[in-house]
Amino acid sequence: MEISIKNVADQKLKKDYQITVPYKLIEDKINQNVVKIKANLTLDGFRKGQVPDDVIKQKYSQSIMADESDKIISDTLKKIVADNKFKPALPPKIDVKIFEEGKDLEVTATIELYPEIPEIELKKAKVVKRTAEVTQADIDDALNKLLQHYRTWDKADDAKKAKKGDSVN
């Protein structure tokens, strides 16, 4: 009644694991949850806390199975990451293969990892310092562009006629 973990694909930055959870383990978790919720459960036709286990399972087993399967898979993935000292870049991608009542749960989990970056000796690193030379002509050109962009217009007398170079509205 052990969870089976199998490494399917082992690439540098991507690890795929096939996880198989025996149905007996899930069924035990369902039975434990039924016992927990039975005491406070009220259903039509039954007194509080007196609902039979079979009725609870019939009504709630799918949702309990989903919750417990999620917890088991989450705990298993945490164990895989901790045991292998992985540094996941993203949350694992889960692909459910088999999820049926009475059958083992089969899931494929893909874990993407951060790349390992080696230490760099800074004494051996070469730095190229680049400098830019700015001439007075470059400064004048930039100022002229700014002046053209931020210039203001004065209103002329109505009697004045427009000539070449004037801006009119």
Side-chain angles (χ1 to χ4, degrees):
M1 194 167 80
E2 238 182 73
I3 298 172
S4 168
I5 302 170
K6 183 178 177 186
N7 192 342
V8 180
D10 193 8
Q11 300 170 6
K12 257 188 172 178
L13 299 177
K14 186 176 173 186
K15 310 290 184 189
D16 289 341
Y17 288 92
Q18 182 177 357
I19 302 169
T20 306
V21 181
Y23 183 72
K24 180 75 173 129
L25 181 65
I26 297 171
E27 188 178 39
D28 289 347
K29 296 282 187 179
I30 291 171
N31 290 336
Q32 290 172 6
N33 265 327
V34 167
V35 170
K36 283 182 190 175
I37 64 173
K38 182 178 183 175
N40 296 322
L41 186 65
T42 305
L43 283 177
D44 290 340
F46 299 100
R47 286 180 280 158
K48 183 177 179 178
Q50 299 298 318
V51 181
D53 291 351
D54 294 339
V55 174
I56 297 172
K57 283 183 186 178
Q58 181 181 6
K59 190 164 180 106
Y60 299 109
S61 69
Q62 285 295 320
S63 63
I64 294 172
M65 182 177 163
D67 290 343
E68 289 303 320
S69 298
D70 187 40
K71 288 178 189 174
I72 291 170
I73 296 300
S74 178
D75 291 343
T76 304
L77 287 172
K78 286 178 187 173
K79 182 180 182 293
I80 291 171
V81 169
D83 290 349
N84 294 301
K85 297 180 182 173
F86 289 151
K87 293 180 183 173
L90 300 169
K93 181 183 172 203
I94 308 295
D95 185 24
V96 179
K97 300 292 183 190
I98 299 174
F99 181 70
E100 295 177 24
E101 199 166 327
K103 292 186 178 180
D104 293 348
L105 171 66
E106 285 189 22
V107 173
T108 302
T110 303
I111 303 172
E112 292 189 30
L113 307 174
Y114 280 115
E116 290 185 27
I117 301 172
E119 284 192 33
I120 300 170
E121 291 186 35
L122 294 177
K123 291 180 181 178
K124 293 182 179 178
K126 292 183 181 178
V127 178
V128 177
K129 187 176 180 181
R130 299 187 188 266
T131 57
E133 291 185 29
V134 180
T135 63
Q136 187 62 38
D138 294 332
I139 294 171
D140 292 341
D141 189 39
L143 282 174
N144 285 333
K145 286 181 182 177
L146 281 172
L147 288 173
Q148 293 242 340
H149 186 43
Y150 289 106
R151 66 179 155 198
T152 58
W153 301 98
D154 294 330
K155 186 171 181 162
D157 292 331
D158 291 335
K160 183 179 178 191
K161 291 184 179 182
K163 59 183 176 189
K164 190 173 183 178
D166 288 346
S167 293
V168 293
N169 189 6

